[in-house]
Amino acid sequence: MQKAIFLDNAATTRTGAGVVKAMQPWLEQNFGSPATLYSLGSQAKQAIEDARQSLAGLIGAEAKDIFFTSGATESNNWAIKGVAEALAEKGRHIITNQAEHHSILMPLRYLEKKGWDISYLPVDGDGLVDPDAISAAIRPDTVLITTVHANHEIGTIQPVAEIGRIAAEKKIAFHVNAAQTVGHIPVDVNSLGAHLLSISGHKFYGPKGVGALYLKRGVRITPLFHGGSQEKKRRAGTHNVPGIVGIGEAARIARNSMDAEIEKLSGLRDYIFAWVEKNIEDIRINGHRTRRLPNNVNFSLEGIEGESIMLSLSYPTAEGARPVFISTGSACVSGNLEPSHILLALGLPAELAHGSVRISMAKEDTREDIDYALEAIAAVAERLRNMSPVYKRGDKKCTAFDKSAGCDCEAAS
Amino acid sequence: MQKAIFLDNAATTRTGAGVVKAMQPWLEQNFGSPATLYSLGSQAKQAIEDARQSLAGLIGAEAKDIFFTSGATESNNWAIKGVAEALAEKGRHIITNQAEHHSILMPLRYLEKKGWDISYLPVDGDGLVDPDAISAAIRPDTVLITTVHANHEIGTIQPVAEIGRIAAEKKIAFHVNAAQTVGHIPVDVNSLGAHLLSISGHKFYGPKGVGALYLKRGVRITPLFHGGSQEKKRRAGTHNVPGIVGIGEAARIARNSMDAEIEKLSGLRDYIFAWVEKNIEDIRINGHRTRRLPNNVNFSLEGIEGESIMLSLSYPTAEGARPVFISTGSACVSGNLEPSHILLALGLPAELAHGSVRISMAKEDTREDIDYALEAIAAVAERLRNMSPVYKRGDKKCTAFDKSAGCDCEAAS
Amino acid sequence: MYSEKVMDHFQNPRNMGEVENPDGVGEVGNPQCGDVMRITIKVDEKEDRIEDVKFKTLGCGAAIATSSMVTELAKGKRLDEAEEISKKVVADALGGLPPQKMHCSNLASDGLKKAIEDYRSRHGN
Amino acid sequence: MYSEKVMDHFQNPRNMGEVENPDGVGEVGNPQCGDVMRITIKVDEKEDRIEDVKFKTLGCGAAIATSSMVTELAKGKRLDEAEEISKKVVADALGGLPPQKMHCSNLASDGLKKAIEDYRSRHGN
Ligand SMILES: Cc1ncc(COP(=O)(O)O)c(C=O)c1O
Ligand SMILES: Cc1ncc(COP(=O)(O)O)c(C=O)c1O
């Protein structure tokens, strides 16, 4: 098979060669548990503290405020359930928005069933939360505001610092899900005003199965894992030493490479947008055009469905063709029966959500590979549109899209 | 430094060379997320399902009943809190015993604060739970019985199958914490009668940061991680693919090597007991002599304290001496101010708990290394006893120990 | 996730397109659900047989593969035989479908039935 | 966790043992807590100076190291000077102790004070 072009880095990234190398000695040779006093243990402990320092440095935090977890899903569950429980006496109202990741929404739905009241604020057509709406939603019993830093699907970067100021003013705990931003764009817990912040290793060239939760000193939170006295008794369990060393090394590398990555990838991103707008008819760009992750491109193709685009790209038939891996908000791959709740929250009609394509780049991607992928996407779109019983060229039903006005697809089709 | 002799395998084991090798390709090359359809994802999915099959085979379960977690601490927290919550309407009484691991006791104390009623049954002088006491403790509102399979500190193997029969008869969910037994001695979920069973990868030559919870079909349990639709929506979060592949390979290897390991290590264990009884005065063997993990040895040395034993062994001063790594139940290394709650639960006076030594072997250990370690322990004991203001040779205060009678150390000293 | 046969029909769909001047047309599905199929047939009136059949489909891999398979199964069949082609028959011919796809994206046999009905209603029997 | 100096005193304790016919004996700690120290001193009566001092200790690394250090610090000092040797002085002389060890296993200065007290009570001043 020809070398694939992997453009699904928002789902997961390749563990960097340097990261793997850094992890290696902690798997087989230095396998001691950091909880012990003998040298094999104190070396592991030192390695963990070095990683903590490195990760803290990446987000402007103090090392002692970093708590290692198994990933952002755990961090998000811990943040939400932990704060809710610790502050239950104070109040049971939490503010979020409709375009959050499932690892935020599902813990909140769970709390809702247990009697908490959750405000799921709408987002605008670009996916932005309105800080004024958050201000307006605050009640005396509000104990937590949780916002994603940048959306994993459409890349939109939220006005987090503004929300942080509101939270500070009202003295409400503020959680930021930074799974998509840490290691990719500058994240500073203080300027964001975050009291809690979730991090995932495998989203920035670190290993899978490790993440962290930043907990500002003084935040009241109940543990999710009770047990041994690891992580100052806030997160029990034998440390995943190789994983923690890996996320530390990924953080170290990210600090050095971030500026170059941002410049390169935002250039590629804008190039892709320009290319598809010029070369593919009847598309709609999803997410904010500029307040957006450098590595994220998302658009919908009218008249076709995402899984078939994705499959066609990943299993090309032409001799010598290279597979291209992207993702889609189609229901067919969501694990649920609904298309992406995020695209629906933008106001997109279901058919355009089904027909969405997300291209998420990695720092090593080249212009040549991107060009190859774009040609492949255009060809697949052409082929599937020829096969489509509903596509009519130039219909442009929803290209000029205005969420407030909605998209009157039924009338147009 | 001379090659160390690692005898703290109950804390964590060396990740096997074969396991590391199996994990390797899933770190850097095949880094795709199993949640996707393209080839890089479906390969990962297949690898996970193979690992699930392998782990299921090791414990006589069906693959679909295995749910991957980040370790036994997560599995135990999930089992306890998840069942408690799912069955809260039915009742809020849980039965356990005083000699459980902290990752069992702490979640239970947490539930206790929230209004659950927990019966912490006593254990006998060998650490055994009495099944009749469990029977007697069952009430109409009992919803869960949780028992360790084998104790991590003293190695005592509980009469789990008997307890399982009681649980089945009374139709009460039965959780077994098998962190110390899976991969080391035969574990069969059906003959144990377990409805839930916790597994830790790094305890049987697998990687740190991965574990599993066996959930028999029909068990009602609330998730601990809400979010994406991984693991049939019961445990959200991007799969730790290398870790899961690693625990699968560790399970495959364990099935092949278990019989030989049991024979070799129980031989070494009995040899060690005989040696220390012959060569070191004034000791007490902790845990059941025969109903015991093959790799576990635990004894207390009168008149000296465990941290100083451990430190002396791990930082030997003699030219060319090899460090020996063991563990102790002394308060000084517990992270708390108390000595091991497990040794206290046996009825041991605090000073003997402080003076305990745990030797836990790995399958590759040799008789030569063990002999070296034993001589080192005897020499350290001699040296520290010479330094001790309270040790009087031949006092044998608590050697003839009878829990019911207690150990009248104050009178003896 | 998909069988080789499904991938083959997805990648190389048979009978894609529209029959010219069709004798019957069947459309099923809904773009909001992500699947729409349109099946057109040409019928040999004397023999009551499907002379030609083509599909156009918007949808996922399974939707396209089942559409393609249904046209292969139907082609040359008598109408009453073609009506017997159930979802299960199509799925089996493809070497099985993933469970979640069994119903939501396996509408092609319904489309075929609709096309046959359409033909019958137009031809008054 | 322990400084090099602590490890040095732990591994090579100075003045371990018991002074013969001691002029003062101080014992502190409790075996149930895991730490017991016994300090014996020989006093030069004319000079009111500690001529010799030895320790025996049951306890963790910090307990042994602080005992050893206290004897080094005390040896040759006048009694009133020796009484000034506080926990902090001992810990500082060892390059610091881990916080949780600062109090629970740093009893040696108390032991020394007790031995001096014992000497004084025996010698009536
Ligand atoms: C925005 C966002 N939050 C949370 C997560 C969950 O992270 P993890 O896979 O580390 O559990 C992801 C990725 O899946 C994400 O993109
Ligand atoms: C009996 C027992 N239960 C649970 C655990 C926790 O396992 P893990 O380190 O995988 O969280 C351990 C080991 O620490 C153990 O020995």
Side-chain angles (χ1 to χ4, degrees):
Chain A
M1 198 178 77
Q2 294 294 310
K3 188 163 178 290
I5 300 174
F6 185 81
L7 295 173
D8 195 14
N9 290 282
T12 195
T13 55
R14 180 192 300 276
T15 314
V19 172
V20 173
K21 196 161 162 240
M23 293 167 69
Q24 214 68 49
W26 303 96
L27 284 163
E28 214 181 323
Q29 297 138 49
N30 301 340
F31 64 95
S33 162
T36 56
L37 279 176
Y38 44 74
S39 56
L40 210 60
S42 42
Q43 285 159 19
K45 193 173 160 71
Q46 190 54 51
I48 286 177
E49 296 316 319
D50 289 349
R52 202 187 304 279
Q53 190 71 55
S54 165
L55 192 55
L58 184 62
I59 62 166
E62 287 183 53
K64 65 173 181 41
D65 293 342
I66 299 287
F67 295 82
F68 289 113
T69 67
S70 67
T73 295
E74 179 184 333
S75 300
N76 288 339
N77 272 266
W78 181 17
I80 289 174
K81 297 178 197 169
V83 169
E85 188 157 334
L87 301 182
E89 296 304 305
K90 210 184 136 203
R92 303 195 173 207
H93 177 239
I94 296 175
I95 300 174
T96 189
N97 69 79
Q98 294 162 7
E100 290 295 328
H101 191 263
H102 277 134
S103 58
I104 296 290
L105 294 176
M106 297 304 175
L108 288 172
R109 293 221 184 117
Y110 157 82
L111 287 178
E112 223 172 351
K113 276 195 213 135
K114 295 179 58 161
W116 268 259
D117 197 6
I118 317 293
S119 296
Y120 301 95
L121 302 181
V123 294
D124 72 9
D126 289 330
L128 284 168
V129 179
D130 177 3
D132 290 341
I134 290 184
S135 268
I138 291 174
R139 314 188 316 208
D141 61 340
T142 306
V143 291
L144 179 68
I145 300 170
T146 173
T147 316
V148 79
H149 189 188
N151 189 287
H152 62 286
E153 190 155 341
I154 54 171
T156 299
I157 298 172
Q158 300 295 351
V160 172
E162 262 184 86
I163 302 169
R165 274 191 295 276
I166 296 167
E169 200 177 291
K170 300 287 177 77
K171 296 199 168 29
I172 295 170
F174 181 38
H175 170 245
V176 178
N177 175 11
Q180 288 289 334
T181 49
V182 167
H184 293 291
I185 62 172
V187 173
D188 182 86
V189 290
N190 297 309
S191 55
L192 294 180
H195 303 118
L196 307 94
L197 186 134
S198 298
I199 302 171
S200 174
H202 70 98
K203 303 280 187 188
F204 65 106
Y205 318 110
K208 293 178 177 59
V210 66
L213 183 62
Y214 159 78
L215 282 180
K216 194 185 168 84
R217 197 153 77 107
V219 166
R220 288 178 54 201
I221 185 164
T222 303
L224 190 65
F225 289 15
H226 293 86
S229 47
Q230 294 92 349
E231 299 292 276
K232 298 182 231 147
K233 300 198 182 173
R234 297 184 108 166
R235 200 280 190 180
T238 301
H239 284 100
N240 174 1
V241 183
I244 290 170
V245 167
I247 197 175
E249 179 65 8
R252 200 189 60 75
I253 294 170
R255 282 174 90 169
N256 293 329
S257 60
M258 187 184 291
D259 291 348
E261 176 176 341
I262 291 172
E263 196 183 320
K264 174 178 172 181
L265 294 188
S266 40
L268 274 181
R269 175 196 68 194
D270 296 339
Y271 170 74
I272 297 174
F273 277 135
W275 195 98
V276 295
E277 288 188 306
K278 179 156 172 256
N279 294 288
I280 310 182
E281 284 178 292
D282 304 326
I283 63 167
R284 175 191 191 266
I285 286 177
N286 298 317
H288 198 282
R289 196 61 179 259
T290 54
R291 293 169 68 167
R292 173 180 206 107
L293 284 174
N295 73 344
N296 176 291
V297 165
N298 192 312
F299 56 89
S300 290
L301 293 135
E302 292 198 14
I304 50 182
E305 183 275 339
E307 190 204 270
S308 60
I309 302 172
M310 182 176 157
L311 271 182
S312 302
L313 288 169
S314 41
Y315 299 97
T317 49
E319 187 81 32
R322 295 174 66 184
V324 175
F325 301 152
I326 52 95
S327 97
T328 168
S330 167
C332 288
V333 296
S334 73
N336 300 305
L337 294 172
E338 292 273 292
S340 157
H341 69 281
I342 290 164
L343 296 174
L344 297 180
L346 303 185
L348 242 66
E351 50 265 57
L352 279 187
H354 290 301
S356 72
V357 159
R358 179 185 69 186
I359 298 174
S360 49
M361 292 88 78
K363 59 182 170 186
E364 72 258 27
D365 287 338
T366 62
R367 171 72 182 273
E368 289 66 44
D369 283 0
I370 295 295
D371 278 329
Y372 188 97
L374 289 172
E375 296 286 356
I377 291 169
V380 162
E382 180 67 20
R383 175 170 167 276
L384 291 175
R385 280 175 168 175
N386 281 336
M387 208 185 284
S388 170
V390 305
Y391 178 66
K392 288 187 192 65
R393 192 165 309 270
D395 246 17
K396 287 210 169 77
K397 289 183 293 213
C398 300
T399 313
F401 178 82
D402 170 4
K403 193 189 168 188
S404 58
C407 166
D408 193 0
C409 292
E410 294 311 308
S413 68
Chain B
M1 197 177 82
Q2 294 293 311
K3 189 164 179 289
I5 300 174
F6 185 81
L7 295 174
D8 194 15
N9 290 281
T12 194
T13 55
R14 181 192 299 277
T15 313
V19 171
V20 174
K21 195 160 163 239
M23 292 168 71
Q24 213 67 49
W26 303 96
L27 283 164
E28 213 181 324
Q29 298 138 48
N30 301 339
F31 64 95
S33 161
T36 57
L37 280 174
Y38 45 75
S39 55
L40 211 58
S42 41
Q43 285 159 18
K45 195 176 158 71
Q46 190 55 50
I48 286 176
E49 296 317 318
D50 290 348
R52 203 186 302 281
Q53 190 70 55
S54 165
L55 193 54
L58 183 63
I59 61 166
E62 287 183 53
K64 65 173 180 42
D65 293 342
I66 299 288
F67 295 82
F68 289 112
T69 67
S70 66
T73 295
E74 179 184 334
S75 301
N76 288 340
N77 273 266
W78 181 17
I80 288 173
K81 298 178 195 168
V83 169
E85 187 156 334
L87 301 183
E89 296 304 306
K90 210 183 136 204
R92 303 192 173 209
H93 178 240
I94 297 176
I95 299 173
T96 190
N97 69 79
Q98 295 162 5
E100 290 295 327
H101 192 262
H102 276 133
S103 59
I104 296 290
L105 293 177
M106 296 303 175
L108 289 172
R109 295 223 183 116
Y110 158 82
L111 288 177
E112 221 172 351
K113 277 197 213 135
K114 295 179 58 161
W116 267 260
D117 197 6
I118 316 293
S119 296
Y120 301 95
L121 302 181
V123 294
D124 72 8
D126 289 330
L128 284 168
V129 178
D130 176 4
D132 290 341
I134 289 185
S135 267
I138 291 174
R139 314 188 315 208
D141 61 341
T142 307
V143 291
L144 179 67
I145 299 170
T146 175
T147 316
V148 78
H149 189 188
N151 188 287
H152 62 287
E153 190 155 341
I154 53 171
T156 299
I157 298 171
Q158 300 295 352
V160 172
E162 260 183 87
I163 302 170
R165 275 192 295 276
I166 294 166
E169 199 178 290
K170 300 286 178 78
K171 297 199 170 23
I172 295 170
F174 181 40
H175 170 245
V176 177
N177 175 11
Q180 287 288 338
T181 50
V182 167
H184 292 292
I185 61 171
V187 173
D188 182 87
V189 290
N190 297 310
S191 55
L192 294 181
H195 302 119
L196 307 95
L197 185 133
S198 298
I199 301 171
S200 174
H202 70 97
K203 300 282 187 188
F204 64 105
Y205 317 111
K208 293 178 177 57
V210 64
L213 183 63
Y214 159 78
L215 283 180
K216 194 184 168 85
R217 197 154 77 107
V219 167
R220 288 178 54 202
I221 185 163
T222 302
L224 191 65
F225 289 15
H226 293 86
S229 47
Q230 294 92 348
E231 298 293 279
K232 296 183 229 143
K233 300 198 181 173
R234 297 184 109 168
R235 201 279 190 183
T238 302
H239 285 100
N240 174 0
V241 182
I244 291 170
V245 167
I247 198 176
E249 180 65 8
R252 199 188 61 73
I253 294 170
R255 282 174 89 170
N256 294 329
S257 60
M258 187 184 292
D259 291 348
E261 177 176 340
I262 292 172
E263 196 182 320
K264 173 177 171 181
L265 295 189
S266 41
L268 274 182
R269 175 195 67 195
D270 296 340
Y271 170 74
I272 297 174
F273 277 134
W275 195 97
V276 294
E277 288 187 309
K278 180 154 169 263
N279 294 288
I280 310 183
E281 283 177 290
D282 304 325
I283 64 167
R284 177 190 190 264
I285 286 178
N286 298 318
H288 198 281
R289 196 61 179 258
T290 54
R291 294 169 67 166
R292 175 180 205 106
L293 284 174
N295 72 345
N296 177 292
V297 165
N298 192 312
F299 56 91
S300 291
L301 293 134
E302 293 196 16
I304 50 181
E305 184 275 340
E307 192 205 90
S308 60
I309 303 173
M310 183 175 157
L311 271 183
S312 301
L313 287 168
S314 40
Y315 300 97
T317 48
E319 186 81 34
R322 297 174 65 185
V324 174
F325 300 153
I326 53 97
S327 96
T328 167
S330 167
C332 289
V333 297
S334 73
N336 299 305
L337 292 172
E338 293 274 291
S340 158
H341 68 281
I342 290 165
L343 296 175
L344 297 182
L346 304 184
L348 240 66
E351 50 264 58
L352 279 185
H354 289 302
S356 71
V357 160
R358 179 184 69 185
I359 298 173
S360 50
M361 292 88 79
K363 59 182 170 186
E364 72 258 28
D365 287 338
T366 61
R367 170 73 181 273
E368 287 67 41
D369 283 0
I370 295 295
D371 278 329
Y372 188 97
L374 289 172
E375 297 286 356
I377 291 169
V380 162
E382 180 69 18
R383 175 171 167 276
L384 292 174
R385 281 175 167 175
N386 281 336
M387 206 185 287
S388 170
V390 305
Y391 178 67
K392 288 186 193 64
R393 192 165 308 272
D395 245 18
K396 287 211 169 78
K397 290 184 292 215
C398 299
T399 313
F401 179 80
D402 169 6
K403 190 186 171 188
S404 59
C407 166
D408 194 359
C409 293
E410 295 310 308
S413 68
Chain C
M1 161 176 132
Y2 286 131
S3 70
E4 266 179 53
K5 209 125 181 206
V6 171
M7 285 306 292
D8 177 37
H9 275 264
F10 170 70
Q11 292 175 312
N12 311 295
R14 332 291 201 248
N15 310 307
M16 202 280 285
E18 300 226 13
V19 171
E20 258 180 74
N21 302 320
D23 298 325
V25 178
E27 197 164 306
V28 288
N30 179 337
Q32 301 230 254
C33 305
D35 290 311
V36 182
M37 293 160 204
R38 181 181 160 87
I39 299 211
T40 45
I41 54 173
K42 193 95 208 160
V43 178
D44 176 336
E45 264 184 71
K46 231 176 44 210
E47 301 236 6
D48 217 31
R49 210 175 273 283
I50 295 179
E51 210 176 318
D52 200 4
V53 48
K54 293 207 158 152
F55 80 91
K56 280 195 128 184
T57 291
L58 156 76
C60 66
I64 291 172
T66 52
S67 302
S68 166
M69 180 51 86
V70 122
T71 61
E72 274 219 321
L73 292 173
K75 206 169 196 171
K77 283 233 166 53
R78 278 210 323 272
L79 294 184
D80 56 346
E81 286 169 352
E83 282 175 312
E84 298 291 296
I85 301 169
S86 65
K87 287 185 182 175
K88 192 174 173 315
V89 168
V90 176
D92 289 352
L94 284 167
L97 282 178
Q100 75 274 23
K101 299 285 184 184
M102 195 54 204
H103 290 284
C104 80
S105 305
N106 185 355
L107 300 168
S109 54
D110 295 345
L112 178 64
K113 282 191 196 86
K114 271 209 172 175
I116 296 171
E117 261 171 48
D118 180 48
Y119 163 77
R120 290 206 168 118
S121 70
R122 291 206 222 169
H123 291 73
N125 54 349
Chain D
M1 161 174 134
Y2 286 130
S3 70
E4 264 178 53
K5 207 122 180 213
V6 171
M7 284 305 294
D8 176 36
H9 276 265
F10 170 70
Q11 292 175 313
N12 311 295
R14 332 292 201 246
N15 309 308
M16 202 279 286
E18 303 224 13
V19 171
E20 257 178 75
N21 303 320
D23 298 324
V25 177
E27 196 164 308
V28 287
N30 178 337
Q32 301 229 254
C33 306
D35 289 312
V36 182
M37 292 160 205
R38 182 182 159 87
I39 299 213
T40 45
I41 53 174
K42 194 96 207 158
V43 179
D44 177 336
E45 264 182 72
K46 231 175 43 209
E47 302 232 10
D48 216 30
R49 211 175 272 284
I50 296 181
E51 208 178 317
D52 199 6
V53 48
K54 294 208 157 153
F55 79 92
K56 280 196 129 185
T57 291
L58 156 77
C60 66
I64 291 171
T66 52
S67 301
S68 165
M69 179 52 85
V70 119
T71 60
E72 276 218 321
L73 293 173
K75 208 169 198 172
K77 283 230 167 54
R78 278 208 325 271
L79 292 184
D80 56 345
E81 287 169 351
E83 280 175 310
E84 297 292 294
I85 302 170
S86 65
K87 288 186 182 175
K88 191 169 173 320
V89 168
V90 176
D92 289 351
L94 285 167
L97 281 178
Q100 75 274 23
K101 299 285 184 184
M102 195 53 205
H103 291 283
C104 79
S105 305
N106 186 356
L107 300 169
S109 55
D110 294 346
L112 177 64
K113 281 191 198 84
K114 272 208 171 176
I116 296 173
E117 262 171 48
D118 180 48
Y119 163 77
R120 291 207 167 117
S121 70
R122 288 206 224 170
H123 291 73
N125 57 346

